[in-house]
Amino acid sequence: MEERTYLKWYNKIGYGSGDIAGNVVYAFLASFVMIYLTDTIGLSSGMVGTLIAVSKLFDGFTDIFFGSMIDKTHSKLGKARPWMLYGYIGCAITLVACFAVPASLGRTAQYVWFFIAYTLLNSVFYTANNIAYSALTSLVTKNSKERVQMGSYRFIFAFSTSLLIQTITVGFVDKCGGDAAAWRLVAVIYAVIGLIVNTISCLSVKELPEEETSRERASSTEEKYGLIQAFRLLLKNKYYLMICAAYILQQLYSAMIGSGLFYMTWVLKNKNLFGQFAWAVNIPLIIALIFTPALVGRWKGMYKLNLRGYIIAVIGRALVVAAGYMGNVPLMLAFTALAALGQGPWQGDMNAVIASCSEYTYLTQGKRVDGTMYSCTSLGIKVGGGIGTAVAGWLLELSGYVGTNATQPQSALDMMQFMYLWLPFIFTVLIMLVLSRMNVEGANEKIKNSRCVTQQH
């Protein structure tokens, strides 16, 4: 018997468009806040990196807090939609604040301003909005196929928005004057767009009645466990630790790619190339995302696909390094696209791998910790991204980089080359090594087969 359907096509697209709002914040902040603070405001890259790293200490607490608050919410809008809707108002205000550091303030006050705005944005408002947005997948439909489709639309909108933001922002800021006021104006425009799209997305779906979803939970055999016990179960799952490592490495990789604006500006002498490289990264990712479900079926699982994809990615990033030292930008773009194409399958099926990882805990420990598994991995992504941006700031500071100078020392140029060429290659190799050991599907199958043999005897 076919599963009951809950959503129309416009509900799925409306939901997916919510990641336009999310990436208006995330892509803009991750790619441009460091260069705004150093080159326009004149803050120390090392100090900014340290503030970002310290700010990330709050993420663990707020992830757990808002997840719990959503579970306890009862309103006319449902459980998650109020947090998604109203949380974004705070996102919009604090995004503008991050790009509106007052020039009249002293240096210490400017650092304090940024730290408060950045922490409120990431650890409070973005966390509340994003966790609620993710939770809607299970609150608006019980149909597994519809949930997969919602996720697919979401990722396509996410990559497309990142591509657009990374492509147009540099030129947009220049057309607005290229100064601090220009960055503030662009931030206001992006915040307003995000606010409108988030509202549309939130209102495009309707949560199921609580009694319907509660019946599903009540009929489940899943037991409730305390947070400490759930963490202990996760730590016994080697595949969970591998996934966390892969997520953090992936975010470190993304942070170094995001720091490419420094490389384009000072080494290649053309900051507009950053948008071209954004195309070379995001278009292959979108293409890979479209074909990943079919490839998973063809290769009978995700392990071989992810590993083979990352072997291609390692080759691609190695060739980017070679092309970079040759000074051949067209080859760098081509090999960047090749690497992104290889990385795409892991982007597309990572949630399914997490589900298999959760099943492994159930098969080996007899207990389910699905929710904690997903929330902790989300935390790993945010922590990895924050550490990556912080590391970029520290390395620039160590090299003698001063954003307001007309020229940079050779040590700074060499560091930018190391950050953009070598570190992404190194992180890609490390991810490939992790994925080579992450055959959680095979492990699950082996456990199931051994139990079948035992029962037969």
Side-chain angles (χ1 to χ4, degrees):
M1 187 173 70
E2 288 192 8
E3 289 184 276
R4 173 189 165 188
T5 58
Y6 294 82
L7 305 175
K8 303 293 185 181
W9 64 268
Y10 50 82
N11 299 127
K12 300 169 193 174
I13 293 177
Y15 170 81
S17 69
D19 243 334
I20 295 176
N23 277 275
V24 161
V25 173
Y26 188 81
F28 184 44
L29 193 70
S31 297
F32 300 106
V33 74
M34 182 66 77
I35 203 162
Y36 158 74
L37 293 171
T38 56
D39 289 24
T40 302
I41 303 301
L43 301 185
S44 161
S45 57
M47 186 62 184
V48 171
T50 299
L51 292 176
I52 289 174
V54 172
S55 174
K56 289 300 168 182
L57 297 176
F58 296 97
D59 275 343
F61 300 104
T62 56
D63 267 33
I64 297 169
F65 172 77
F66 284 114
S68 174
M69 291 302 294
I70 289 169
D71 286 337
K72 296 175 182 178
T73 297
H74 307 279
S75 73
K76 291 182 179 179
L77 284 174
K79 302 174 75 66
R81 288 200 300 164
W83 294 96
M84 177 183 173
L85 185 64
Y86 301 124
Y88 203 90
I89 297 174
C91 283
I93 293 170
T94 49
L95 178 66
V96 173
C98 283
F99 287 88
V101 178
S104 59
L105 295 178
R107 273 286 179 257
T108 301
Q110 287 179 326
Y111 285 122
V112 171
W113 175 288
F114 168 71
F115 179 76
I116 293 173
Y118 183 87
T119 302
L120 287 174
L121 172 56
N122 277 275
S123 299
V124 180
F125 299 116
Y126 184 79
T127 296
N129 171 266
N130 196 253
I131 289 180
Y133 178 55
S134 299
L136 279 179
T137 306
S138 61
L139 293 174
V140 301
T141 177
K142 295 192 291 183
N143 185 299
S144 57
K145 290 182 180 179
E146 288 183 333
R147 289 174 177 174
V148 171
Q149 291 167 346
M150 290 170 70
S152 296
Y153 282 122
R154 175 182 179 178
F155 278 116
I156 290 172
F157 276 115
F159 289 135
S160 300
T161 305
S162 293
L163 171 61
L164 185 62
I165 294 293
Q166 292 168 356
T167 300
I168 70 171
T169 297
V170 172
F172 193 10
V173 171
D174 284 344
K175 286 184 178 179
C176 293
D179 56 4
W183 281 104
R184 184 173 62 247
L185 175 60
V186 171
V188 169
I189 293 171
Y190 285 170
V192 171
I193 292 172
L195 195 58
I196 293 171
V197 176
N198 181 79
T199 302
I200 293 172
S201 175
C202 184
L203 299 179
S204 68
V205 292
K206 185 177 180 180
E207 294 182 32
L208 297 173
E210 279 195 51
E211 54 269 21
E212 187 168 350
T213 55
S214 62
R215 279 200 306 269
E216 184 184 56
R217 287 194 294 269
S219 63
S220 172
T221 58
E222 181 177 345
E223 299 176 57
K224 302 299 181 183
Y225 299 96
L227 190 60
I228 294 176
Q229 187 178 2
F231 270 113
R232 287 175 178 169
L233 289 169
L234 293 179
L235 292 176
K236 293 179 181 178
N237 187 333
K238 62 182 180 180
Y239 297 108
Y240 167 76
L241 299 178
M242 291 181 194
I243 288 177
C244 285
Y247 268 64
I248 291 172
L249 288 167
Q250 186 179 325
Q251 292 304 308
L252 290 170
Y253 171 92
S254 297
M256 293 306 114
I257 295 298
S259 71
L261 186 53
F262 291 96
Y263 179 78
M264 312 300 166
T265 302
W266 296 102
V267 178
L268 298 182
K269 307 295 184 184
N270 184 359
K271 61 183 179 181
N272 292 317
L273 284 173
F274 186 72
Q276 296 182 32
F277 276 90
W279 279 80
V281 169
N282 286 285
I283 293 299
L285 283 174
I286 293 171
I287 293 171
L289 182 65
I290 293 171
F291 290 101
T292 292
L295 291 173
V296 169
R298 181 174 180 179
W299 284 342
K300 296 179 174 61
M302 298 171 285
Y303 170 69
K304 291 181 180 179
L305 175 61
N306 291 335
L307 180 56
R308 290 170 182 174
Y310 255 85
I311 290 173
I312 293 172
V314 167
I315 294 171
R317 290 311 308 183
L319 293 172
V320 170
V321 173
Y325 280 99
M326 291 167 55
N328 191 319
V329 173
L331 278 181
M332 288 181 69
L333 287 165
F335 295 140
T336 295
L338 176 65
L341 194 64
Q343 293 163 336
W346 168 242
Q347 295 276 355
D349 65 25
M350 64 175 85
N351 281 340
V353 174
I354 299 171
S356 295
C357 185
S358 184
E359 183 182 9
Y360 180 80
T361 291
Y362 178 70
L363 292 173
T364 57
Q365 304 294 324
K367 299 171 183 176
R368 292 194 177 276
V369 286
D370 303 309
T372 310
M373 180 87 63
Y374 277 93
S375 66
C376 289
T377 308
S378 169
L379 173 61
I381 293 175
K382 292 198 297 179
V383 170
I387 291 174
T389 305
V391 167
W394 292 332
L395 292 176
L396 288 170
E397 181 78 10
L398 186 65
S399 70
Y401 175 78
V402 179
T404 53
N405 287 355
T407 60
Q408 300 298 334
Q410 187 60 43
S411 58
L413 301 180
D414 291 340
M415 181 60 77
M416 292 173 196
Q417 201 159 33
F418 174 71
M419 290 165 59
Y420 190 71
L421 297 181
W422 283 105
L423 282 180
F425 169 69
I426 292 169
F427 292 140
T428 304
V429 170
L430 292 175
I431 293 172
M432 180 193 71
L433 293 175
V434 173
L435 293 180
S436 71
R437 307 288 297 174
M438 203 189 294
N439 190 4
V440 62
E441 297 166 283
N444 289 345
E445 194 64 30
K446 188 175 180 179
I447 293 171
K448 292 175 183 177
N449 290 338
S450 65
R451 289 181 179 178
C452 288
V453 171
T454 303
Q455 289 173 356
Q456 288 174 359
H457 290 285

